[in-house]
Each structure stands twice: as C-alpha cells, then as structure tokens.
Amino acid sequence: MNWPIVFLLLANLALLSWSASSIEDLDPPPNAAPSLLSCDEVILDLVPCLSYLRGETKQPSAACCSGAQKISNGAKSQAAKKDVCTCIKKSLASVGPYDKNLIPLIPQKCGIPLTLPPIDAKTDCSKAAIYV
C-alpha cells in the first residue's frame, strides 16, 4: 500500500469535511433536491480508481466500478451531479498527476449508465455534463 497517497487522501477528506461543515449553515436554494451522497462518500467510492486514473492499471478495478455504481445510483438530480463533479475536482487536485481523459472511461469500462466529463482543475462543474 502506498502510505503517502493514503495519508494525502485522508488529509483531503479531513479538509473537505471541515470546509463542508463551514458552509452547511447556508440555506439551500429553493426547490433544491437533497444530495444522497456526501463528498466524503464520493471520495471513498473513487479511491480505488486512482491506480487506473494514473495509468498504473489498464482497467478499473472491481472496487472502482462498485464505487462508480454507487455514485451513479446516488447522483440523480442536477444539483447532486454538480456536487459530485465539484467533489471529484477538488479531490483530484491533491492526488498528483492523473489522466483526466480516463475519467469518462470508468463508467464505460464498468458498464454503468453514467457519463462523466474529463475533470481537472479547469472544469466548470456548473456546465459539466454528468448524466445518469
């Protein structure tokens, strides 16, 4: 196990939890659908995909596919899809180099009816097309 990466991911989880708790007091927009996924859940679901996104494996692992399926099941509203994109964008910023063009291939290779855009620091998640 690559302990520096695990440490970075756990530190990122802690940071995201802290930053999320600081904005939880904001009122949601009217008619906003509640998200079924927290950012922490999204991160944990996608951690097994890192080796694929870094080009270390040629196929996403079964655990990666399982996590992508959970995200597909939980991100039904446009607001939830935007939140998932934002979470992935923030999380990947701290994990080092990866191939953003492999992100859309995860659902395809896992047989999941989900379309993900290539997500990197420049992705505008308010315009990103994530369809379940």
Side-chain angles (χ1 to χ4, degrees):
M1 180 173 280
N2 193 336
W3 288 108
I5 292 171
V6 171
F7 176 75
L8 277 173
L9 290 171
L10 291 175
N12 193 34
L13 280 172
L15 179 61
L16 288 172
S17 295
W18 174 78
S19 62
S21 67
S22 66
I23 61 170
E24 283 178 351
D25 295 331
L26 298 175
D27 291 328
N31 302 322
S35 178
L36 299 176
L37 299 167
S38 71
C39 188
D40 291 348
E41 290 171 313
V42 171
I43 292 168
L44 290 174
D45 288 338
L46 293 181
V47 165
C49 300
L50 285 177
S51 59
Y52 175 69
L53 294 177
R54 289 186 176 134
E56 297 166 4
T57 61
K58 293 185 180 192
Q59 296 291 326
S61 67
C64 173
C65 290
S66 175
Q69 183 65 59
K70 287 180 189 175
I71 291 169
S72 176
N73 293 341
K76 297 295 184 189
S77 71
Q78 289 299 331
K81 294 171 190 176
K82 179 184 169 214
D83 289 347
V84 166
C85 175
T86 301
C87 177
I88 293 170
K89 176 180 172 179
K90 288 180 182 178
S91 300
L92 287 175
S94 66
V95 299
Y98 66 94
D99 184 348
K100 72 176 185 171
N101 296 312
L102 293 176
I103 293 173
L105 299 179
I106 292 172
Q108 292 173 14
K109 291 186 176 240
C110 293
I112 299 168
L114 172 70
T115 301
L116 292 170
I119 300 172
D120 66 4
K122 297 177 185 175
T123 301
D124 181 353
C125 288
S126 67
K127 297 178 182 176
I130 302 177
Y131 305 102
V132 177

